[in-house]
Amino acid sequence: MWLRDVRHSTFSRMRLLVAVAAVFFVASGLKAQTIEDLEAAFDSPPADARPWVFWYWMHGAVSPEGITADLEAMRDAGLGGAYLMPIQGPASPPAYEPPATQLSPRFWQMIRHAAREADRLGMQLGMHLCDGFATAGGPWITPELSMQKVVWSQATISGGQSIDPELPQPETREGFYRDIATLALPCPVGYGVDTASRPPSVTTSDNEPNAGRLARPDNPERYRSDKPCSIRYDFD
């Protein structure tokens, strides 16, 4: 099997070292605390231990009253802050009038109101650096400078001889693609065999006559029972 892939082992080692260090410091800090201290901290966690949430402002449908209600509900639930993320512009027609279109004067009014309310409630407020789930960009960011992901293709061939295979082209976006590596791996025993190519035998404790459908990926019919039962899959 030929596989285009890449793994960054340096990052993995760094992440492992950081994780080990973090565990060491946490464990060291716990030694000086009593069970009562831990229980008290768990019941009333400090502000820096409270979780945050993503706070989506969808389609510019934002109002001062809604902002206050959201933040007060977060505070009452024990949250420490919100990470504000606007998602897409106003719908047509807008879901709320007037809409707070991103970067418009009303949008900045809503941002200032949210910041004041977060201060009033003792919460923290973060803000995403662009609309939606992507990071900041613009027409000056060409495909090779934009966010990247690792893609791959694979082909299965017979080994033990000199070959020059034509590998399938992996997925591309905006016409950009660059090879990272080509890897040759031995196929393990059973490679390519799955429940689609070799379906298991399916039986149920209530002797469902058409139980074999539960191993078919295109099966739309559910299995229901009014009493406790079991499903058994037998694989070769």
Side-chain angles (χ1 to χ4, degrees):
M1 180 179 68
W2 292 79
L3 177 66
R4 298 184 182 189
D5 195 1
V6 65
R7 298 177 185 275
H8 298 288
S9 59
T10 302
F11 173 75
S12 298
R13 293 193 203 99
M14 183 182 300
R15 182 170 56 186
L16 177 61
L17 291 174
V18 170
V20 171
V23 170
F24 173 79
F25 289 126
V26 170
S28 299
L30 291 180
K31 291 178 181 178
Q33 295 179 319
T34 65
I35 294 298
E36 291 74 17
D37 292 334
L38 294 175
E39 290 178 346
F42 187 84
D43 288 336
S44 299
D48 58 358
R50 294 175 186 168
W52 287 37
V53 291
F54 284 122
W55 188 19
Y56 297 145
W57 287 11
M58 300 293 297
H59 304 293
V62 187
S63 69
E65 297 80 7
I67 289 171
T68 297
D70 280 355
L71 289 174
E72 288 180 345
M74 295 178 201
R75 187 274 315 274
D76 294 343
L79 298 174
Y83 185 53
L84 198 164
M85 185 183 296
I87 303 291
Q88 299 182 343
S92 181
Y96 181 85
E97 289 283 5
T101 305
Q102 287 88 326
L103 305 185
S104 68
R106 179 170 175 80
F107 175 82
W108 290 116
Q109 291 173 4
M110 298 300 102
I111 293 294
R112 286 190 288 270
H113 177 73
R116 287 192 297 265
E117 288 295 86
D119 286 343
R120 179 179 68 84
L121 298 168
M123 298 180 64
Q124 298 186 66
L125 189 64
M127 189 172 177
H128 197 42
L129 74 169
C130 74
D131 171 56
F133 297 97
T135 53
W140 56 90
I141 302 297
T142 53
E144 65 272 14
L145 299 176
S146 65
M147 294 187 295
Q148 306 294 329
K149 67 177 181 178
V150 176
V151 295
W152 63 88
S153 66
Q154 65 183 35
T156 304
I157 60 173
S158 298
Q161 57 186 331
S162 178
I163 56 173
D164 184 18
E166 184 69 26
L167 299 178
Q169 170 66 51
E171 171 193 355
T172 64
R173 185 73 178 265
E174 300 291 337
F176 176 75
Y177 173 80
R178 182 176 298 160
D179 273 333
I180 297 174
T182 301
L183 306 176
L185 308 172
C187 292
V189 176
Y191 177 79
V193 177
D194 55 26
T195 55
S197 62
R198 190 177 298 175
S201 172
V202 186
T203 55
T204 67
S205 58
D206 61 352
N207 299 316
E208 162 67 36
N210 191 26
R213 74 181 189 279
L214 301 177
R216 295 198 304 268
D218 60 346
N219 168 55
E221 186 180 353
R222 297 180 180 180
Y223 173 67
R224 294 179 171 88
S225 178
D226 295 331
K227 58 182 182 298
C229 62
S230 61
I231 304 173
R232 171 171 168 161
Y233 293 81
D234 287 292
F235 299 86
D236 292 340

